[in-house]
């Protein structure tokens, strides 16, 4: 995979960055969306394919993108198709920071150090290539405005943007209500993007998660939150479930 093309995780993160404050919108659900965006990118690269509600590796050859290849290798090691909701519901462990660091190396953002309450160190990320962010946003706006079915990458990006709740960030207020509705409708234009987007929303809603209780538990046992035992797609330490750790604070203040 050539690096001349931005990946869907990179584009999703650029969409989420506030150009004024340098913070990321919807930081907790964004971590889930980035894991889902990796699946979509691997599918577009021909490495994985949907198998019902599961993800199957169809070609284990590396893509050339280290972060994607780490996710691909972990999927391969599973040995059998894994449910998308279980993969996305696993611990994110610094995935957002991994992509922010990559965007900084590529010169698309720059880090700005600061402090919270005059004590706690924080890092914000300001976009430096604003033309790129505008181009990404223009693709979404065009798909929403024209109603013409978008290309698979844009359709998947729209589905993920809706799934993580970026609609209210991109199209705020009552005036943006119709645009948010049309953004949601774009989910139907890409099967893989739709599968992953629904899995992201299911994880947030606690749907489809395996019970942590043994089979012999009483029939009245309530369903437990999504499994956190799945392997980390990025392989970078520093963040606990759903991004509530140190890494969640970086670039998200």
């Amino acid at each position: 995979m050539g690096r001349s093309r931005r990946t869907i995780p990179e584009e999703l993160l650029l969409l989420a960055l506030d150009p004024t404050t340098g913070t990321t919108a919807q930081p907790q659900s964004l971590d889930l969306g980035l894991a889902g965006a990796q699946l979509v990118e691997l599918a577009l690269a021909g490495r994985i394919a949907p198998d019902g509600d599961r993800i199957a590796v169809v070609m284990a050859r590396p893509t050339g993108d280290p972060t994607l290849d780490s996710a691909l290798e972990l999927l391969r090691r599973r040995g059998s198709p894994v449910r998308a909701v279980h993969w996305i519901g696993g611990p994110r462990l610094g995935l957002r920071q991994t992509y922010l660091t990559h965007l900084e190396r590529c010169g698309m953002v720059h880090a700005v150090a600061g402090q919270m309450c005059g004590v706690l160190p924080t890092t914000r990320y300001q976009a430096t290539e604003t033309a790129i962010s505008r181009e990404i946003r223009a693709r979404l706006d065009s798909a929403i405005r024209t109603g013409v079915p978008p290309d698979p990458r844009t359709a998947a990006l729209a589905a993920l943007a809706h799934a993580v709740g970026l609609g209210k960030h991109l199209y705020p207020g009552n005036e943006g209500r119709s645009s948010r509705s049309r953004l949601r409708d774009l989910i139907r234009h890409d099967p893989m993007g739709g599968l992953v987007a629904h899995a992201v929303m299911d994880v947030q809603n606690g749907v489809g998660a395996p019970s942590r209780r043994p089979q012999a538990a009483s029939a009245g046992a309530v369903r437990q939150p999504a499994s956190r035992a799945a392997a980390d797609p990025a392989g970078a330490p520093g963040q606990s479930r759903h991004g509530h750790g140190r890494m969640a604070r970086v670039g998200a203040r």
Side-chain angles (χ1 to χ4, degrees):
M1 177 183 296
R3 295 303 297 134
S4 60
R5 168 174 285 179
R6 295 180 304 275
T7 64
I8 293 176
E10 293 164 5
E11 292 195 331
L12 183 66
L13 185 51
L14 286 171
L15 273 180
L17 275 179
D18 188 303
T20 302
T21 65
T23 61
T24 51
Q26 304 297 111
Q28 295 173 23
S29 57
L30 179 61
D31 293 338
L32 302 175
L34 289 173
Q38 286 187 311
L39 295 180
V40 175
E41 192 66 50
L42 287 170
L44 289 172
R47 287 354 188 236
I48 64 174
D51 181 5
D53 66 345
R54 297 174 182 269
I55 304 298
V57 174
V58 295
M59 183 189 300
R61 189 178 74 226
T63 66
D65 180 302
T67 308
L68 290 176
D69 289 341
S70 176
L72 179 62
E73 175 61 15
L74 288 170
L75 285 166
R76 186 193 66 79
R77 290 178 187 173
R78 293 294 183 91
S80 61
V82 58
R83 290 188 66 194
V85 69
H86 291 171
W87 175 262
I88 291 169
R92 299 282 59 87
L93 297 178
L95 186 58
R96 181 162 28 116
Q97 183 59 41
T98 296
Y99 276 108
L100 283 169
T101 301
H102 170 74
L103 291 176
E104 185 180 17
R105 285 199 306 265
C106 293
M108 292 190 218
V109 302
H110 71 276
V112 180
Q115 289 184 328
M116 182 177 65
C117 301
V119 179
L120 298 175
T122 62
T123 304
R124 300 170 185 263
Y125 288 85
Q126 298 285 350
T128 53
E129 294 289 343
T130 55
I132 294 176
S133 298
R134 288 197 300 269
E135 182 271 328
I136 298 169
R137 175 66 181 271
R139 280 165 39 212
L140 286 187
D141 289 346
S142 176
I144 287 173
R145 183 179 64 254
T146 65
V148 175
D151 63 273
R153 300 185 71 83
T154 302
L157 181 63
L160 287 161
H162 166 70
V164 303
L166 288 184
K168 59 188 177 183
H169 167 71
L170 299 171
Y171 307 104
N174 288 333
E175 64 275 15
R177 183 177 301 171
S178 61
S179 292
R180 293 195 298 272
S181 177
R182 288 192 288 271
L183 179 70
R184 178 196 62 215
D185 292 342
L186 290 175
I187 200 171
R188 70 182 187 274
H189 289 296
D190 180 66
M192 185 66 179
L195 168 65
V196 169
H198 283 297
V200 169
M201 291 185 285
D202 283 348
V203 172
Q204 294 180 79
N205 294 328
V207 177
S211 174
R212 291 173 180 248
R213 300 193 179 195
Q215 292 292 333
S218 65
V222 296
R223 177 175 292 175
Q224 299 300 305
S227 171
R228 307 300 167 194
D232 168 48
Q239 195 172 356
S240 59
R241 63 182 285 179
H242 280 200
H244 287 295
R246 177 177 60 84
M247 289 301 185
R249 294 192 293 273
V250 179
R253 293 291 180 189

